[in-house]
Amino acid sequence: MDTRHQPVFKGSKLKVSPLTKAFIILIVLWFSIHTSVIIIDGMNNTPQNADLGVVLGNKVNEDGSLSQRLQKRLERALSLYKNGRVKMLFVSGGHGHEGFNEGDKMRDFLIGKGVPAALIITDNQGDNTLKTVKNTAKLKSNYHIESIIVVSQYYHITRTKMLFRKNGFDKVFGASPEYLEWRDGYSLIREFVAFYSELLPT
C-alpha cells in the first residue's frame, strides 16, 4: 500500500489566547456570584407583611389539574393569607397551550381552600413576568397598594422584585415554596440571562 500521499496528523492542542481565558473565567465567576445571590435572595423568605400577594402563574396540566410547581406556589400564598401577612391575593398567568386560563385555575384553588373570592384579583393576561408586573401596577391606585410580596420559585424572585421596583413599587418582598426540581439548574441559567436582558433599554 502506497502511503506516500496520505496526510499525516500530528497531535495538537487547541490554543486559547490569554484574553479569551480571562474572559471565560470572568463569565464563570460572574455567573457563580450572581446565581449565589439569586438563590440566597429567593430562599430568604422575609417576615414582612404587605398589602398584596402576587402569585405568578405556571403550567396547568392537560387534565386541568395544577402542576406541582404551581400548586406549591399557591400553597405558599395561602399560608401568607392565613397568617395575616397579606390582605389580598393577585393571581396572574396566561392562557396555556393546554387550553386553560392559569389565573382562573389559581383563583379556583384558593377559593376551594377558603379564601373569599372578593379578596382574590384574577389576571389571565400575565403571559410573562413583565406583563404580570405591569398588570399589577394598574391596580396600585384603586386598591391603595404600597407593598407587595412576590410568590414564585426561589430563582424567579430576584428578577421579579427588580421589575416591580422599576415599575414604581418601593416595598417589594419575596416568598418561595419549599420545592426543588432537577430543572432548577436550567432555570438558574435562564434567569441569569433574563435578569440582564431586562436591564437593557426597550
Side-chain angles (χ1 to χ4, degrees), residues 55 66 71 74-75 77-79 81-82 88-91 102-124:
V55 192
L66 304 180
Q71 182 168 325
L74 290 166
E75 289 172 354
L78 184 63
S79 71
Y81 169 76
K82 288 186 173 181
M88 300 183 69
L89 291 168
F90 181 62
V91 290
E102 293 170 4
D104 291 343
K105 287 291 183 178
M106 295 160 75
R107 176 201 61 208
D108 293 346
F109 176 88
L110 292 171
I111 291 174
K113 297 294 183 180
V115 181
L119 298 181
I120 303 171
I121 307 170
T122 306
D123 170 31
N124 287 311

Side-chain angles (χ1 to χ4, degrees), residues 9-24:
F9 295 97
K10 295 182 179 180
S12 61
K13 294 182 179 180
L14 179 63
K15 292 184 178 180
V16 180
S17 70
L19 184 61
T20 301
K21 286 181 181 179
F23 179 75
I24 292 172

Side-chain angles (χ1 to χ4, degrees), residues 165-184:
R165 291 185 181 111
K166 285 181 66 177
N167 283 270
F169 292 91
D170 296 323
K171 298 178 182 178
V172 187
F173 313 107
S176 60
E178 295 180 359
Y179 178 68
L180 302 175
E181 298 178 279
W182 287 109
R183 62 170 281 170
D184 289 359

Side-chain angles (χ1 to χ4, degrees), residues 41-49 52-56 66 68-86 88-89 91 106 109-110 113 115 149-154 157 173-179:
D41 182 42
M43 291 187 173
N44 182 26
N45 294 312
T46 51
Q48 286 90 343
N49 296 341
L52 185 70
V54 179
V55 192
L56 284 88
L66 304 180
Q68 192 171 9
R69 194 179 312 112
L70 181 54
Q71 182 168 325
K72 291 298 183 181
R73 292 184 188 185
L74 290 166
E75 289 172 354
R76 187 75 180 90
L78 184 63
S79 71
L80 294 176
Y81 169 76
K82 288 186 173 181
N83 291 327
R85 289 188 54 197
V86 294
M88 300 183 69
L89 291 168
V91 290
M106 295 160 75
F109 176 88
L110 292 171
K113 297 294 183 180
V115 181
I149 297 179
V150 174
V151 183
S152 189
Q153 306 312 113
Y154 67 93
I157 296 291
F173 313 107
S176 60
E178 295 180 359
Y179 178 68

Side-chain angles (χ1 to χ4, degrees), residues 54-65:
V54 179
V55 192
L56 284 88
N58 207 272
K59 181 182 177 182
V60 176
N61 297 320
E62 292 182 358
D63 62 359
S65 62

